[in-house]
Amino acid sequence: MRLNRAGVSKWPAVMRPLLAMPNLDAFAVTFGATQRIRLEEELMGEAVKDAQRKADAMARGFGKRAGAVAGISSDQLKNLGNAVGLVPSDRYNRANSRQRQNPDDMLMITSLKMAQTVDALFRIK
């Protein structure tokens, strides 16, 4: 079942009846932002500027300048094993099942932490 709810003020009222139901387990709760696309675009722009700044600083260390961008990705290039799926992802752990959790934990509203990384390859001048 998927439940979309605008506004978080009524979150406890929605969740309490669900938590009281028998045989329900493994809830997956996520929160989003109504301005998510705009925020992601702003974060991407800041990440690109930061990549350029860092490239310039590294190139100056060698007495050079960062030139044109030769490649760019929003995925991490430095961990190729992860990028091609060779690193196992976290698996569902039954130790976190509802029987061992405090039900009030599901009533808490988490803060959104948004970040964007950019890996870029620059030509050196």
Side-chain angles (χ1 to χ4, degrees):
M1 173 175 70
R2 183 175 192 161
L3 174 68
N4 288 334
R5 179 82 187 149
V8 294
S9 62
K10 301 206 189 285
W11 180 246
V14 170
M15 282 304 294
R16 277 195 204 284
L18 289 174
L19 291 171
M21 291 180 166
N23 302 320
L24 287 181
D25 197 1
F27 286 90
V29 177
T30 59
F31 294 94
T34 57
Q35 301 287 322
R36 185 174 200 103
I37 292 172
R38 182 185 56 79
L39 293 170
E40 287 173 347
E41 289 173 354
E42 287 177 14
L43 286 171
M44 183 67 73
E46 290 175 23
V48 167
K49 288 176 188 173
D50 192 45
Q52 177 72 53
R53 182 187 57 76
K54 288 178 179 179
D56 287 335
M58 285 189 280
R60 278 194 310 272
F62 292 103
K64 303 286 185 180
R65 292 185 348 210
V69 176
I72 190 166
S73 174
S74 60
D75 291 327
Q76 290 186 342
L77 297 176
K78 59 188 167 193
N79 187 352
L80 292 177
N82 191 28
V84 297
L86 297 177
V87 178
S89 62
D90 291 338
R91 298 227 163 102
Y92 177 72
N93 185 355
R94 292 299 284 181
N96 291 327
S97 68
R98 196 169 123 202
Q99 290 83 6
R100 294 183 184 99
Q101 289 180 342
N102 180 351
D104 287 339
D105 289 347
M106 293 296 291
L107 300 177
M108 294 185 343
I109 298 167
T110 61
S111 62
L112 293 176
K113 295 178 184 176
M114 298 180 73
Q116 177 63 56
T117 60
V118 170
D119 282 3
L121 301 172
F122 292 90
R123 297 189 192 285
I124 303 294
K125 293 183 181 179

